Structures are given as structure tokens and as C-alpha cells.
Amino acid sequence: MNNEAPSPKTALIIGAGPAGLMAADVLSARGHKVVVAESKPSVARKLLMAGKSGLNLTKDEPLDQFLDSYGEARSVLQPIVSAFGPPEVQAWAESLDQEVFTGSTGRVFPKAMKASPLLRNWLGKLAQQGVEVKTRHRWVGMKDGYVFETPDGRLTMKADAVVLACGGSSWARLGSDGAWMDFVDLPIAPIKPTNMGFDVAWSTHMEKYFGTPVKGVRLMAGPQESRGEFVISKTGIEGGGVYELSRFIRDGETLQIDLLPDMTIENIRKRMEIPRGKASLSNHLRKTLKLDPVKQALLMEFGRPLPSDLAPMLKALPISLRGPRSLDQAISTAGGLPFDVLDENLMVRTQPGVFAAGEMLDWEAPTGGYLLTACLATGRWAGLRAAEWLSA
């Protein structure tokens, strides 16, 4: 079955994640007919998954500091995120009847913590604005339009403006499988995992610590450091503290852990000079430095043979890693459509009227609200510019 659906002054959004839904929101609010095509049976699956552990919407911090988290993409994203940054994201959530609060680290969450109430209210708003969402519509190519596999067969759709919001290449079961890269006929920056855990070849003595969180540490990799915690798993390490450094570790920097971040080397040495007597090294470390069992286990795992002066190692314990987790196990990905194939409106230079947004663009950021904020901001930016294109 091959149907063609010409639709004057229609915007087609491909992908119903945060970026695609935000593009649909601003386009429909300006009176344009909007069709959203989503490959999965339901929308925003990755957003819902992220919300299971508390939906981190954004981070309440100065804009310059916030923008620094985007690394090399900072200059491109600056006008986009400046127009829809932490204050605007919070106001947007509250406009959907989701009261927010800021945690001790500056991370902003809806009071409901989950993503489902926000998404439900957002979809209700989009329905009122006339947005048509077509699920189980998988984009499979281009031939006289945008070709989709649907439950009713193959369908070709045309539109006056298109926003591509196809996601990255992680968590394929939730819809971000990167299949779009096979047929967009555009340059693609290599896809790399980011915000992921790392594999470790643990010795048997670490087995009893699998699942144990490591708190009160400072992690360092190259120019970046984190005071976040992480978890020891059966296959390695994972968690917010590791995710913040993941791109630097992935690119070759050594991960080091400061097991006593609130003590100086001199202070550690002074305490270690207390006579040990008949106490074991483990008890001596526990009594003099309050070094808990999991930190001691990490010291023994990666520090042997132990030097006579333990203080420098306690402040910068090098961690031996086998490598990053697989692409599909990463929270997000770097790579995708390079910004140089897009103009300042996020429109594809060689395809007038086609815009791109979200994680399919070549940028990366740590978890902590930066990912979601940039997806929403680029979706809004592309949607507004598409609306201007339709009205021109």
C-alpha cells in the first residue's frame, strides 16, 4: 500500500521525544498543522525511563557555568540554550501544572518526581492545539517524500516543513537506534557513548561489594572532577559521579579517585603517624582516617603493592578500566549531524525547510539536567524557525 498525503502548510515532526514534542508544541501554537511520526507504540519512552529515578529537568546555576557543560558545542548552543535555559524550563514545567523544586546540588525536579504527570499534561495540551501523533510510524527512507513503515503498510508523507528529532543511538529498545543515519544522505560525526559506566576486571575479593555505592569521594579525569557518588557493579562502575567524567575517560584520560576529599595530604600523613601497635592496617585506616570498608577495598584493589607513604595514593588512586560500556548501555551519545551541515536556524543547508533538533545533533553533556534542557531548547529553536519558514 502506498499513499501520498500532500498537506499544504503542514509541519512533519519525525520523533516524539522531548525535542520533537517541543517542536510540535511551538509550531502548533502558531496555528500550523502538525503531524508527529513516532516509530514506537507510545511517545517519549526515554523520558519516561529517565523519570523513574526522578526526572531531572535542568540545573539551577549561572548560565555561563551551565553552558560550559556542553564543551565544544558551547558556542553553537549558546543562543539556543540562552533562549530556553534553566529558568525557562522551570517555567515551562509549571505551565503544565508541575510544581518544581531545587535539590541541594542545584538539580531541578518536578515535585511529583516522575515524568508521567508532566508528559500526560503536555500531550493533552498538544491535542488541544490540534497536533496529530502517529505512533508505529517508522521512518525508513526517502522517495518522493518521507517513507514510513506503518501497521497499514508503507506510507509516503510530504510536508512544507520538517523537523527531524530522531534521537541518538543509545537505548534502542526505547526508540533511539540511530537507523536514520542510513538514509539522510548527510555527513555524520562518529557516534560515541557518553554518560555511561565502565567495565572493570574485579578480583574475587570485590564480589561482596557489588551493588555498593561509594560516597564522599572526588573523582578526577583530565581537566574535570566530580563530587558525585558511584556504584560498584558486577561488571564495573557506574553512576552520576562517573557519568560526569565519562567523555574524558572515554577519550583516554585516567580516572583517579580521591578517597578523602576533605583532608589534605599533610593531614593524612599526620594521622597515619599515630602508632599502629598490634592493629591491622584495615583497623588503623578505619580509626585514624575513618576510611570505610568499600574505600579500603578499592585501595587494595588498585593500590597494591601499597607504598610506604599512603597519603598521595589515598588522594589520587588510579583506577584500571577495561573500557566503556556498550553504546546501547549508554544514557546518551555523542556524534550525529554536525552543526556545520546546519545553518543558525538548525536548518539543513542543502535541504531548505528541513530542520534538526535534539540528541541526533553532534553535542554531548553530562547528566544533571543538561541533556534534557538542550533537547527541549533545540526542539523549541527548530520549531520556531520552522514556523517562520512556513509563514514566510
Side-chain angles (χ1 to χ4, degrees):
M1 177 177 179
N2 188 18
N3 299 318
E4 188 171 306
S7 44
K9 296 299 178 186
T10 294
L12 171 63
I13 315 292
I14 302 179
L21 293 178
M22 183 58 81
D25 194 341
V26 296
L27 273 158
S28 58
R30 282 153 182 76
H32 300 294
K33 181 180 179 181
V34 179
V35 176
V36 179
E38 166 59 41
S39 64
K40 292 296 182 180
S42 58
V43 305
R45 289 190 165 199
K46 195 171 180 180
L47 179 72
L48 290 170
M49 176 64 78
K52 284 190 174 182
S53 56
L55 182 63
N56 187 189
L57 292 167
T58 191
K59 192 168 185 182
D60 189 3
E61 63 185 11
L63 183 60
D64 275 347
Q65 183 179 340
F66 191 89
L67 288 166
D68 284 342
S69 296
Y70 298 105
E72 295 176 359
R74 185 193 198 280
S75 59
V76 179
L77 290 176
Q78 181 167 348
I80 298 171
V81 174
S82 297
F84 199 77
E88 291 78 16
V89 170
Q90 294 176 67
W92 165 77
E94 290 177 342
S95 75
L96 295 172
D97 297 326
Q98 296 303 298
E99 192 175 351
V100 300
F101 74 95
T102 303
S104 59
T105 61
R107 297 184 178 194
V108 179
F109 302 86
K111 284 198 169 180
M113 290 302 286
K114 300 182 294 185
S116 50
L118 182 145
L119 180 61
R120 183 167 53 248
N121 291 351
W122 196 10
L123 292 175
K125 177 190 178 189
L126 295 179
Q128 289 180 351
Q129 292 174 188
V131 174
E132 183 181 3
V133 178
K134 295 179 177 289
T135 55
R136 293 188 171 91
H137 277 55
R138 181 175 180 81
W139 184 28
V140 294
M142 302 286 296
K143 188 176 181 181
D144 299 324
Y146 291 80
V147 182
F148 296 87
E149 291 287 357
T150 80
D152 298 321
R154 185 156 287 202
L155 171 71
T156 300
M157 299 176 67
K158 292 183 178 180
D160 298 284
V162 176
V163 177
L164 306 178
C166 305
S169 302
S170 63
W171 292 10
R173 63 190 176 87
L174 302 179
S176 299
D177 58 10
W180 56 270
M181 291 184 282
D182 293 335
F183 47 79
V184 293
D185 195 25
L186 292 168
I188 302 292
I191 302 297
K192 301 177 183 178
T194 189
N195 291 303
M196 69 292 189
F198 290 82
D199 292 330
V200 177
W202 298 116
S203 62
T204 54
H205 92 279
M206 290 297 296
E207 290 178 0
K208 64 181 177 181
Y209 297 105
F210 292 167
T212 302
V214 182
K215 302 180 180 182
V217 293
R218 181 168 63 107
L219 293 86
M220 303 160 287
Q224 192 74 8
E225 63 179 55
S226 167
R227 285 296 297 262
E229 64 183 68
F230 66 96
V231 175
I232 295 173
S233 71
K234 184 177 180 179
T235 56
I237 56 175
E238 57 193 62
V242 173
Y243 299 156
E244 286 187 52
L245 309 180
S246 62
R247 60 175 160 174
F248 299 97
I249 304 170
R250 177 199 68 205
D251 293 342
E253 298 288 355
T254 298
L255 172 63
Q256 296 178 309
I257 300 180
D258 180 351
L259 297 172
L260 297 166
D262 299 318
M263 296 177 65
T264 65
I265 287 181
E266 292 73 20
N267 196 0
I268 294 171
R269 285 175 176 152
K270 186 175 181 180
R271 294 193 182 197
M272 289 291 289
E273 288 173 357
I274 297 172
R276 177 172 154 187
K278 295 182 179 180
S280 65
L281 176 60
S282 176
N283 281 333
H284 190 56
L285 291 171
R286 177 177 58 82
K287 289 179 180 179
T288 59
L289 300 175
K290 301 188 185 308
L291 201 66
D292 62 39
V294 68
K295 291 182 183 178
Q296 289 195 37
L298 289 169
L299 176 64
M300 298 303 173
E301 182 75 2
F302 298 110
R304 288 179 172 174
L306 297 178
S308 56
D309 182 6
L310 272 180
M313 182 170 285
L314 289 168
K315 293 294 292 180
L317 178 67
I319 306 300
S320 299
L321 304 171
R322 298 176 65 182
R325 295 277 170 81
S326 68
L327 197 64
D328 198 50
Q329 290 178 293
I331 291 176
S332 58
T333 53
L337 278 184
F339 282 105
D340 59 10
V341 307
L342 309 172
D343 66 13
E344 68 278 5
N345 298 318
L346 297 182
M347 185 170 72
V348 179
R349 296 181 188 277
T350 58
Q351 300 177 26
V354 178
F355 301 79
E359 205 181 322
M360 69 183 294
L361 304 180
D362 182 18
W363 60 274
E364 61 181 310
T367 56
Y370 306 105
L371 282 168
L372 183 53
T373 296
C375 285
L376 293 169
T378 55
R380 177 180 178 274
W381 188 271
L384 288 173
R385 302 306 174 266
E388 293 171 359
W389 173 268
L390 289 174
S391 299

